[in-house]
Amino acid sequence: MSETKQNGDYRKGPVVLRGSQRPDRTTDQNLLEETAPGSWVHSDPWRVLRIQSEFVEGFGALAELGPAVSIFGSARIRSEHEDYTKTYEIAKRIGDRGLAVITGGGPGVMEAGNKGARDSGAVSVGLGIELPYEQGMNQYVELGVNFRYFFARKTVFIKYSHAFVVMPGGFGTFDELFEALCLIQTHKIQKFPLILVGSEYWSGLLDWIRGPVCDYGAISPGDLDLIHVCDTVDEVDAALQEHCAQYRDGQRKA
């Protein structure tokens, strides 16, 4: 662990910890890993109140947000990367259509999305998470909510998003994509656009799903119809156009 990461801010809900006060374990680790037989009986019921507060705070902060599009992607790209520029332009187009933009609030693709939203005059939202690294809201977030628990944060993403735009990214990006796919496939939420940006990046994953996964019978052939694959800003804009028009007419996702 580098000195910068070790000595930087560690955000735990509303609390900021530095130096020797930085914890070795995240709140999610403490919740999900049983440390001693029977110990959860004494500690976990109290955690329920903290979890409840995260839902209350998240729902309260975004209750009047209106239609929004969430953008996901790698936190590791820099501002000179072509995907940073593309994300900025996509977010700006989304904002120009009168929709808010929601990201994870961090660097890379998330920063580009928040910057594009802000520059378009749309509401720029960041949903942060307690992590050992990559913490803190980028400077372009105008409405930010920090979460301790991933599942609370993911619920808020789903509840207030009317489309997902998924840029190239890693495990966190895959997690958000497949959770949305699962919820739509199982009719837990109403279908909404899932747009993957970058056919070359996503082709290997999609070929595997169309091939071995579908051939095995683990999914139905039509399940991949839930996904739109785009390469340009114009293609993403076109994929969202009809959906955005519905919300201008006052319709909302159930």
Side-chain angles (χ1 to χ4, degrees):
M1 186 185 298
S2 71
E3 180 137 359
T4 302
K5 290 175 180 174
Q6 206 167 33
N7 293 332
D9 289 357
Y10 188 102
R11 297 188 178 275
K12 196 170 186 178
V15 179
V16 177
L17 302 168
R18 294 173 178 157
S20 63
Q21 295 299 307
R22 287 176 58 92
D24 296 324
R25 296 163 60 85
T26 67
T27 306
D28 268 327
Q29 282 179 290
N30 291 329
L31 173 66
L32 299 174
E33 295 179 11
E34 188 176 351
T35 57
S39 63
W40 63 272
V41 173
H42 307 292
S43 59
D44 282 8
W46 290 105
R47 289 198 183 106
V48 172
L49 297 178
R50 181 178 290 165
I51 293 166
Q52 176 182 305
S53 74
E54 293 212 335
F55 284 114
V56 171
E57 290 167 359
F59 293 164
L62 274 63
E64 298 179 4
L65 179 65
V69 175
S70 285
I71 298 178
F72 301 96
S74 176
R76 304 186 183 196
I77 66 167
R78 299 185 180 277
S79 58
E80 57 268 20
H81 196 285
E82 62 178 343
D83 282 342
Y84 187 102
T85 303
K86 187 178 291 186
T87 304
Y88 171 85
E89 293 296 337
I90 290 170
K92 198 167 184 302
R93 294 275 191 98
I94 292 169
D96 288 342
R97 291 192 176 278
L99 282 79
V101 173
I102 307 174
T103 79
V109 163
M110 295 174 279
E111 178 183 291
N114 289 125
K115 183 178 181 181
R118 188 206 64 175
D119 288 355
S120 72
V123 181
S124 174
V125 181
L127 304 181
I129 185 68
E130 176 192 340
L131 292 173
Y133 315 121
E134 298 173 357
Q135 284 204 322
M137 294 287 179
N138 67 66
Q139 62 181 315
Y140 304 107
V141 171
E142 296 176 323
L143 173 57
V145 183
N146 279 305
F147 291 86
R148 290 183 174 93
Y149 299 101
F150 262 114
F151 58 84
R153 176 184 186 238
K154 288 160 77 172
T155 300
V156 174
F157 264 121
I158 287 288
K159 180 173 175 61
Y160 294 102
S161 298
H162 299 84
F164 278 8
V165 174
V166 187
M167 303 296 295
F171 290 152
T173 303
F174 304 156
D175 181 44
E176 299 290 356
L177 169 63
F178 280 103
E179 172 141 25
L181 277 170
C182 181
L183 291 171
I184 293 172
Q185 183 198 47
T186 55
H187 304 286
K188 291 295 185 182
I189 61 172
Q190 189 175 0
K191 180 179 177 180
F192 67 90
L194 295 173
I195 301 170
L196 304 187
V197 183
S199 57
E200 183 177 356
Y201 185 86
W202 295 106
S203 61
L205 174 65
L206 296 177
D207 288 344
W208 174 69
I209 295 173
R210 290 190 190 99
V213 177
C214 191
D215 293 344
Y216 187 79
I219 63 170
S220 301
D223 286 344
L224 274 179
D225 294 342
L226 298 171
I227 298 174
H228 306 267
V229 182
C230 301
D231 283 304
T232 68
V233 176
D234 286 340
E235 288 173 349
V236 175
D237 193 43
L240 289 170
Q241 184 173 2
E242 181 179 352
H243 189 70
C244 294
Q246 294 175 359
Y247 291 102
R248 283 199 301 269
D249 294 337
Q251 299 177 32
R252 286 182 59 94
K253 185 181 72 173

